[in-house]
Amino acid sequence: MIIDSHQHFWKYEPKKHSWIDDDMAVIRKDFMPASLKKTYFENGIAGCVAVEANQSTMETDFLMDLASKNDFIKGIVGWVDFRADDIEEVLKHYHQFPIVKGFRHVVQGEADHNFLLRPDFLNGISKLEPYHFTYDILVFPHQLGAVLEFVKKFPKINFVIDHIAKPYIKDGFFEGWAVLMEAIGKEPNVFCKLSGMITEADYNTWKPEQLQPYMQWVLDAFGADKLLFGSDWPVCLVAGNYQRVKEIVTNFIAHLPEDDQAKIMGLNAIKFYNL
C-alpha cells in the first residue's frame, strides 16, 4: 500500500498564498481533492496525509472538512498557534477528531534561526505529548542546529523532518546539512520525509542523479524504518509531475529488500501518523 505522506490542498488566494512567487506561477490556481484523486488512481496511491498550507486554524478546519468528504485523505497535519495562552484548550478541541494527526509551523519563514527554542513555542510543543499528536518540522539547513536541540527536549513526541530539511541542491550545498542531519537521524523519535527535493534543485534542469547523494545520506542517517515517501503535490508541479516525483523515490529504493521498500512507500507513514 502506497501512502503519500505529504501533499496540500488550497483554493488559491493571492494574499493568503503570497509564498507562491512568479517562478511558481503554474500553481497559482485551485488544487482540490478531485484532481488529486485522479492522479492517485493513475499512480497507484492508496491515500494521503494532507498538510497545512496556511497558518490559521481555519486551514485546519478546511482540511478536516475535505477529509470528511474524501476517504482517501487518511489524516491531516494542521496548524495551531503554539505560542498562544490557550494552546492546551485548542489541542484538546482537535483531539476530538481522529483525522487530525499532528501540526506544523512554517519555521523556515521565521527570521530567528532559533525560533524553535523560544520559551513560548517550547511550552506549546510540550502540550502535544498527552494527546499523542505528531509535529512536522519545516526548516532550512541553517536552522538544523536548533532542530537538534529542540527534538532532544521531547523524546516522547514523534517528529518528522519535511522535505529532507530543504538542502540547497541547486547550489550543491551538502556538508553542513549532512553533519546535522546525521546527528538528528540518531534520535529514535525523529523521522524524515523523502519529499520536496525537485523544488530545491533547478526547476528546469534537475536530474535524478543530483538528488541521489541527498537521498542516500538520509537513508543512512535515518534508516529505512524512519523514511516516508511524500510528493509535495501540487508544489512539485513547479518542477515536474507526480509520476516523476514518485519514480525518484521508487527507483532509488529499488535495490532495498521489499520489506524496506514497503515501509518507505507507505507503512512508515501509517505507523508515524497512526492512519
Side-chain angles (χ1 to χ4, degrees), residues 196-262:
M197 293 174 288
I198 64 173
T199 46
E200 294 309 309
D202 187 289
Y203 292 171
N204 301 309
T205 63
W206 68 270
K207 292 179 172 56
E209 50 266 31
Q210 289 176 278
L211 312 178
Q212 181 88 15
Y214 298 90
M215 291 191 289
Q216 187 62 53
W217 193 266
V218 294
L219 175 59
D220 292 341
F222 289 84
D225 288 336
K226 295 199 297 170
L227 291 185
L228 287 65
F229 160 71
S231 69
D232 200 24
W233 182 94
V235 181
C236 65
L237 302 180
V238 170
N241 60 45
Y242 199 98
Q243 182 179 347
R244 289 189 77 192
V245 168
K246 179 188 171 189
E247 286 177 350
I248 287 168
V249 178
T250 55
N251 290 344
F252 169 67
I253 65 174
H255 69 287
L256 298 178
E258 288 187 5
D259 286 353
D260 286 347
Q261 294 182 47

Side-chain angles (χ1 to χ4, degrees), residues 1 50 82 138 140 166 214 228 263 270-271:
M1 177 184 291
F82 284 105
L138 179 64
F140 285 129
K166 295 197 160 190
Y214 298 90
L228 287 65
K263 290 174 184 177
I270 293 169
K271 176 183 176 182

Side-chain angles (χ1 to χ4, degrees), residues 55-61 64 76-98 100-104 123-125 127-133:
Q55 299 196 103
S56 72
T57 53
M58 288 186 293
E59 174 80 352
T60 308
D61 297 340
M64 286 173 57
I76 73 161
V77 174
W79 184 89
V80 293
D81 185 356
F82 284 105
R83 295 164 291 179
D85 292 336
D86 65 344
I87 181 60
E88 191 146 21
E89 289 75 18
V90 173
L91 293 175
K92 185 176 181 180
H93 165 72
Y94 283 117
H95 189 247
Q96 301 174 78
F97 308 103
V100 181
K101 304 302 182 180
F103 300 95
R104 183 176 84 157
N123 175 66
I125 293 293
K127 308 301 183 185
L128 291 172
E129 185 182 331
Y131 302 105
H132 303 290
F133 283 130

Side-chain angles (χ1 to χ4, degrees), residues 77-216:
V77 174
W79 184 89
V80 293
D81 185 356
F82 284 105
R83 295 164 291 179
D85 292 336
D86 65 344
I87 181 60
E88 191 146 21
E89 289 75 18
V90 173
L91 293 175
K92 185 176 181 180
H93 165 72
Y94 283 117
H95 189 247
Q96 301 174 78
F97 308 103
I99 197 69
V100 181
K101 304 302 182 180
F103 300 95
R104 183 176 84 157
H105 185 86
V106 184
V107 177
Q108 70 173 38
E110 299 290 345
D112 181 359
H113 294 188
N114 292 312
F115 176 86
L116 286 170
L117 302 176
R118 289 183 175 183
D120 54 356
F121 194 78
L122 290 173
N123 175 66
I125 293 293
S126 73
K127 308 301 183 185
L128 291 172
E129 185 182 331
Y131 302 105
H132 303 290
F133 283 130
T134 62
Y135 181 76
D136 273 53
I137 299 174
L138 179 64
V139 293
F140 285 129
H142 69 268
Q143 297 165 312
L144 285 174
V147 170
L148 180 58
E149 189 173 340
F150 173 72
V151 298
K152 284 178 177 289
K153 292 179 182 292
F154 305 106
K156 295 183 180 179
I157 296 174
N158 283 334
F159 299 101
V160 62
I161 306 285
D162 289 349
H163 313 324
I164 67 170
K166 295 197 160 190
Y168 308 118
I169 298 171
K170 182 179 179 180
D171 302 315
F173 181 87
F174 188 87
E175 292 300 331
W177 165 86
V179 169
L180 285 165
M181 286 294 277
E182 183 177 30
I184 292 166
K186 292 176 182 176
E187 299 301 315
N189 59 320
V190 187
F191 292 62
C192 183
K193 291 183 182 179
L194 286 171
S195 62
M197 293 174 288
I198 64 173
T199 46
E200 294 309 309
D202 187 289
Y203 292 171
N204 301 309
T205 63
W206 68 270
K207 292 179 172 56
E209 50 266 31
Q210 289 176 278
L211 312 178
Q212 181 88 15
Y214 298 90
M215 291 191 289
Q216 187 62 53

Side-chain angles (χ1 to χ4, degrees), residues 14-53:
K15 185 175 181 181
K16 180 188 286 188
H17 302 104
S18 59
W19 57 272
I20 304 176
D21 61 24
D22 290 346
D23 290 338
M24 306 171 76
V26 68
I27 58 172
R28 281 178 172 162
K29 60 181 182 179
D30 296 354
F31 287 94
M32 298 292 282
S35 57
L36 183 59
K37 188 174 184 179
K38 180 177 183 292
T39 298
Y40 279 173
F41 178 77
E42 293 168 349
N43 287 276
I45 310 296
C48 67
V49 176
V51 180
E52 63 84 23

